[in-house]
């Protein structure tokens, strides 16, 4: 049932109770389209041919400061921008759109997708799960104890982040999607791998589904004693907190959360918060209270991204407010090498300084956060520091998680490079030819895409 506070704020959000998404076409029928300059409108029309665009009324009316467009962080986070494409790509695609050549447009878009590395870190080539020797759709198994599950009904979101590393899920190319139609094969797979203790239900956003559909995926997992934790990756806490407060099945969703907790399993809601503005509305705060009131934990994570959250004091506010409300700061990621990464990426040295400045200004309760962390082909690599060792300036690195468990927490060193933005840009320090893990692993896959392109 609603808390008193939730009842009190319902009248403030009643106009948003029914979720309504907007696409690059339908946004043009709103008042917000006319707040944009012709240049911004053109960029949306062109770039949305390549990168998916979807937003909703709550994001438009509550999170974006229209007096600060185009520099507002939430606008940058949700609206396509010209510089997300390379200049030559933008100009050529713009010309093809003006000419109306649909075949040439499709060919050009597919070539841009190829460059953008749609499935980084070996997701297609090395994370695939096999059941009875056959690939299992919608399941990834990268680390021994954790399986990722992509329910087919959850492969969209309440709004799309422009930096999203899973952008390939949303562009309409079926061969690029991870999705599963049912939980039966997942359960069969888990029974073959008793070392799996954690299932991460991800997408897209699983909480785009109604509660009955979500329960159809979760309840079978409650019958498996080996599963200790169920995680749900979601941006709904920021983009549609009504999902937990005023949606017609919000109470049913929270009841499902309580059911998971009552079964003896840990339920972790992996909330993607990119900026403190996402926690400022009253309904966003109430969503946190309602989630944690079920016995589930809410963990906060996001990449550090140019144009959006490179201010360490924004991170500090986010973590402090999250802790006050009962959420747990979990990860600051490094923007992955996919999509328009050239637009969003930051040098690793800058990412570390942002993390360090934010971290040193919070209490121990917020120092649960880890970062900056790169989710690489080999595993999650965190930058522990920048130091001078034996006369050489180096990055001090370690694995928080790895394909080979023996690599975890084993420190290694890379030559300091102020321009490096990803692990692939780094070279070993002290004259070494290889990092230790490169001897023990298959080579990282090339940045290719499984598309048959028109020529």
């Amino acid at each position: 049932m609603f808390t008193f506070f939730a009842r009190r704020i319902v009248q403030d959000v009643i106009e948003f109770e029914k979720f309504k998404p907007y696409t690059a076409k339908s946004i043009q029928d709103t008042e917000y389209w006319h707040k944009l300059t012709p240049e911004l409108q053109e960029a949306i029309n062109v770039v949305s041919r390549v990168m998916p665009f979807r937003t909703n009324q709550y994001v438009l009316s509550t999170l974006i400061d229209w007096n600060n467009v185009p520099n507002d962080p939430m606008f940058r986070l949700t609206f396509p921008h010209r510089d997300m494409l390379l200049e030559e790509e933008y100009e050529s695609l713009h010309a093809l759109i003006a000419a109306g050549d649909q075949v040439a447009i499709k060919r050009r878009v597919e070539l841009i997708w190829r460059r953008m590395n749609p499935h980084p870190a070996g997701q297609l080539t090395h994370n695939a799960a096999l059941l009875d020797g056959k690939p299992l759709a919608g399941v990834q198994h990268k680390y021994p104890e954790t399986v990722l599950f992509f329910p087919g009904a959850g492969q969209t979101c309440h709004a799309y982040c422009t930096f999203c590393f899973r952008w390939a899920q949303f562009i309409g190319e079926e061969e690029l999607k991870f999705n599963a139609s049912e939980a039966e094969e997942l359960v069969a797979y888990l029974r073959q791998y008793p070392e799996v203790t954690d299932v991460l239900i991800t997408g897209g956003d699983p909480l785009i589904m109604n509660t009955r559909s979500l329960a159809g995926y979760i309840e079978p997992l409650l019958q498996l004693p080996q599963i200790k934790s169920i995680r749900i990756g979601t941006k709904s806490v920021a983009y549609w907190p009504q999902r937990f407060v005023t949606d017609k099945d919000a109470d049913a969703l929270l009841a499902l959360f309580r059911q998971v907790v009552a079964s003896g399993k840990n339920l972790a809601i992996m909330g993607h918060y990119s900026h403190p503005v996402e926690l400022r509305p009253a309904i966003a705060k109430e969503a946190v209270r309602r989630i944690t009131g079920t016995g589930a934990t809410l963990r906060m994570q996001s990449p550090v991204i140019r144009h959006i959250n490179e201010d360490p004091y924004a991170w500090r506010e986010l973590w402090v407010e999250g802790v006050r409300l009962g959420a747990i700061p979990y990860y600051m990621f490094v923007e992955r090498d996919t999509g328009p990464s050239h637009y969003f990426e930051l040098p690793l040295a800058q990412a570390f300084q942002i993390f360090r400045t934010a971290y040193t200004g919070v209490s121990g309760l917020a120092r649960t956060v880890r970062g900056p962390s790169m989710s690489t082909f080999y595993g999650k690599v965190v930058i522990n520091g920048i130091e001078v060792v034996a006369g050489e300036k180096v990055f001090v690195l370690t694995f928080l998680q790895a394909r080979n468990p023996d690599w975890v927490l084993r420190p290694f060193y890379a030559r300091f490079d102020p321009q490096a933005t990803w692990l692939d840009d780094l070279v070993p320090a002290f004259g070494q030819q290889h990092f230790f893990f490169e001897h023990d692993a298959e080579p990282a896959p090339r940045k290719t895409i499984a598309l048959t392109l028109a020529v």
Side-chain angles (χ1 to χ4, degrees):
M1 299 297 291
F2 279 157
T3 64
F4 171 78
F5 181 81
R7 292 192 190 97
R8 183 166 60 83
I9 67 172
V10 165
Q11 295 304 314
D12 296 332
V13 300
I14 191 72
E15 62 182 297
F16 310 135
E17 279 194 316
K18 185 173 177 57
F19 173 73
K20 182 179 180 180
Y22 293 94
T23 64
K25 183 176 181 180
S26 60
I27 190 70
Q28 299 180 31
D29 297 326
T30 72
E31 62 181 294
Y32 302 101
W33 182 254
H34 304 290
K35 296 177 183 288
L36 303 174
T37 65
E39 291 77 15
L40 290 172
Q41 292 175 351
E42 176 194 280
I44 292 168
N45 284 328
V46 174
V47 181
S48 65
R49 299 295 187 108
V50 179
M51 304 306 298
F53 171 68
R54 176 180 167 102
T55 188
N56 65 64
Q57 182 71 12
Y58 175 77
V59 173
L60 293 170
S61 66
T62 304
L63 299 185
I64 294 174
D65 178 2
W66 290 95
N67 293 319
N68 191 32
V69 168
N71 296 319
D72 175 70
M74 299 308 298
F75 182 76
R76 295 277 183 182
L77 182 61
T78 53
F79 275 75
H81 299 274
R82 178 184 180 122
D83 291 343
M84 291 177 187
L85 300 184
L86 303 180
E87 184 62 23
E88 183 276 332
E89 292 172 341
Y90 185 93
E91 293 292 350
S92 63
L93 187 55
H94 178 262
L96 292 172
I97 293 171
D101 188 339
Q102 298 305 315
V103 173
I105 290 170
K106 186 175 189 298
R107 182 187 300 119
R108 189 71 181 103
V109 167
E110 288 176 339
L111 289 173
I112 297 172
W113 287 341
R114 176 186 289 276
R115 177 189 64 79
M116 285 185 165
N117 186 26
H119 285 306
Q123 293 181 92
L124 283 178
T125 56
H126 290 70
N127 297 357
L130 299 178
L131 180 62
D132 298 327
K134 298 179 180 179
L136 188 57
V139 177
Q140 288 185 30
H141 194 176
K142 181 175 181 179
Y143 306 125
E145 68 281 350
T146 304
V147 158
L148 275 63
F149 181 60
F150 297 76
Q155 298 314 304
T156 187
C157 299
H158 293 94
Y160 293 151
C161 295
T162 44
F163 69 82
C164 182
F165 81 96
R166 294 206 193 280
W167 59 270
Q169 294 285 96
F170 315 129
I171 59 176
E173 295 292 333
E174 290 300 320
E175 63 265 41
L176 291 179
K177 288 184 179 180
F178 300 109
N179 62 79
S181 59
E182 56 189 28
E184 291 181 3
E185 288 186 329
L186 171 64
V187 171
Y189 181 82
L190 294 173
R191 285 180 172 144
Q192 289 188 8
Y193 292 88
E195 67 270 25
V196 177
T197 59
D198 289 45
V199 174
L200 169 57
I201 304 174
T202 185
D205 192 326
L207 294 186
I208 200 78
M209 293 187 282
N210 61 43
T211 300
R212 178 179 296 180
S213 297
L214 181 63
Y217 292 110
I218 288 180
E219 288 177 343
L221 302 178
L222 305 185
Q223 310 307 314
L224 298 177
Q226 74 187 79
I227 301 302
K228 311 303 179 186
S229 293
I230 297 172
R231 311 180 206 175
I232 301 175
T234 184
K235 186 69 177 178
S236 62
V237 288
Y239 283 167
W240 191 249
Q242 289 87 339
R243 186 70 190 90
F244 310 94
V245 182
T246 58
D247 272 6
K248 63 181 181 180
D249 66 341
D251 287 346
L253 177 64
L254 299 180
L256 177 62
F257 290 179
R258 293 188 184 95
Q259 179 184 353
V260 175
V261 174
S263 76
K265 301 187 188 302
N266 173 56
L267 176 63
I269 307 302
M270 316 305 290
H272 294 258
Y273 292 98
S274 304
H275 194 276
V277 72
E278 296 169 324
L279 261 184
R280 290 173 190 163
I283 194 169
K285 293 180 172 66
E286 178 64 9
V288 175
R289 294 187 182 99
R290 298 199 89 206
I291 292 167
T292 56
T294 67
T297 58
L298 173 60
R299 297 177 183 266
M300 310 169 71
Q301 59 185 24
S302 176
V304 56
I305 319 159
R306 188 189 302 278
H307 306 297
I308 294 170
N309 57 17
E310 65 233 79
D311 177 6
Y313 300 98
W315 284 94
R316 187 178 295 182
E317 177 188 344
L318 179 63
W319 294 339
V320 169
E321 182 67 358
V323 167
R324 185 183 75 81
L325 295 170
I328 304 168
Y330 187 52
Y331 268 120
M332 175 196 279
F333 290 112
V334 174
E335 168 64 356
R336 289 198 183 191
D337 55 339
T338 182
S341 57
H342 70 278
Y343 180 80
F344 290 116
E345 65 189 6
L346 292 166
L348 297 177
Q350 184 178 350
F352 175 74
Q353 291 303 332
I354 292 169
F355 179 85
R356 186 173 184 274
T357 300
Y359 190 88
T360 56
V362 300
S363 76
L365 291 176
R367 294 188 180 184
T368 52
V369 69
R370 296 173 291 184
S373 172
M374 294 176 276
S375 294
T376 75
F377 169 75
Y378 302 101
K380 289 187 175 69
V381 177
V382 68
I383 304 169
N384 283 328
I386 300 171
E387 299 292 341
V388 176
V389 178
E392 183 174 344
K393 191 173 185 180
V394 297
F395 286 109
V396 183
L397 308 159
T398 193
F399 282 98
L400 294 175
Q401 182 62 284
R403 290 187 183 275
N404 183 342
D406 290 339
W407 301 345
V408 174
L409 295 186
R410 181 175 169 182
F412 62 101
Y413 303 89
R415 187 186 308 159
F416 180 77
D417 180 349
Q419 303 304 318
T421 61
W422 195 248
L423 181 68
D424 294 351
D425 300 329
L426 300 178
V427 297
F430 315 128
Q432 299 295 312
Q433 297 301 307
H434 303 282
F435 293 116
F436 74 87
F437 50 86
E438 293 177 320
H439 292 291
D440 303 328
E442 298 178 57
R446 296 177 61 193
K447 297 178 182 179
T448 58
I449 178 174
L451 276 178
T452 302
L453 302 177
V455 293

